[in-house]
Amino acid sequence: MKNPVQQSALDQTPGKKVSHALDTQVDYLAQSYRDRAGTYDLDVGRQGYHGPIIVSELAAAFQTAYLAKERAVITILDAGCGTGLVGRQLKRLGFQLIDGFDLFEEMAEKARQTRIYRDVRGDVDLNGPLSDYSNASYDITVCCGVFAQRHVRPGGLRELVRVTRPNGFIIASTRKSYAEATCFDGEVRRLQDAGVLIAAHCLGDARYYQGNAHYWVFQMPDKASAPTEERL
Ligand SMILES: C[S@@+](CC[C@H](N)C(=O)[O-])C[C@H]1O[C@@H](n2cnc3c(N)ncnc32)[C@H](O)[C@@H]1O
């Protein structure tokens, strides 16, 4: 039987509300992450969390296949970096210039303590504009476990597109249940029709954590084929 800490270590599927006393999304997330930042790695590790390794290995494969720059000089933004599990995998694969942000300062501080990241910011909400981050500043943006129920709406993808360079990649996981409930693929289609991203690849129904997820790879168009006015 799962204990309550294990149950709330990662995003929950609908119907597994942690407490009836929690009314808002932020309260829910705070109990799942801010208050458990110290035990997050242990909790998810015990149950086989495959997200960080799959997202990082996709980043490495697409960098090798399509990006001209050497891995060591590729800039990566880890959106919703949590305690830094994705950063650890990216470092293992040879990436060195990794920035991260998270909604909760307590999670961001854990990521900082890994000393893997160049810069980590807390109190950054992907449901709003990423005002600290400039247009087209990262070669690859990764987002693991963040497009999830009560976390980030599909519209958050637009900000990831904005901060990623032409020809660069976004690699993001979505739980199957989240993708279905939120019509994530509808948002992908809208952005693709607007010419701001290309859905390059999807590892569908793959191992994640207590169930499966889709792993999406989006490529940004090059400057020549991007819309001439503001990209978004
Ligand atoms: C399942 S954890 C994944 C953390 C890390 N990416 C990993 O794979 O271990 C989800 C993370 O998203 C963060 N998060 C949730 N909502 C967010 C939002 N609106 N903006 C930024 N981060 C958010 C949480 O604080 C938590 O650290």
Side-chain angles (χ1 to χ4, degrees), residues 99 110 161:
D99 294 341
K110 289 280 170 196
V161 167

Side-chain angles (χ1 to χ4, degrees), residues 10 33 40 49 80-82 102-104 107 124-126 144-145 152:
L10 268 187
Y33 299 115
Y40 174 88
Y49 177 33
C81 61
D102 199 273
L103 184 59
F104 294 111
M107 296 293 270
V124 178
D125 185 356
L126 183 55
C144 183
V152 172

Side-chain angles (χ1 to χ4, degrees), residues 178-193:
Y178 168 90
E180 284 159 18
T182 62
C183 296
F184 186 81
D185 57 346
E187 177 70 4
V188 170
R189 263 196 310 278
R190 273 189 291 282
L191 294 176
Q192 187 155 262
D193 291 348

Side-chain angles (χ1 to χ4, degrees), residues 194-210:
V196 297
L197 63 68
I198 299 152
H201 193 77
C202 183
L203 272 188
D205 204 3
R207 291 166 82 195
Y208 177 66
Y209 173 86
Q210 295 182 342

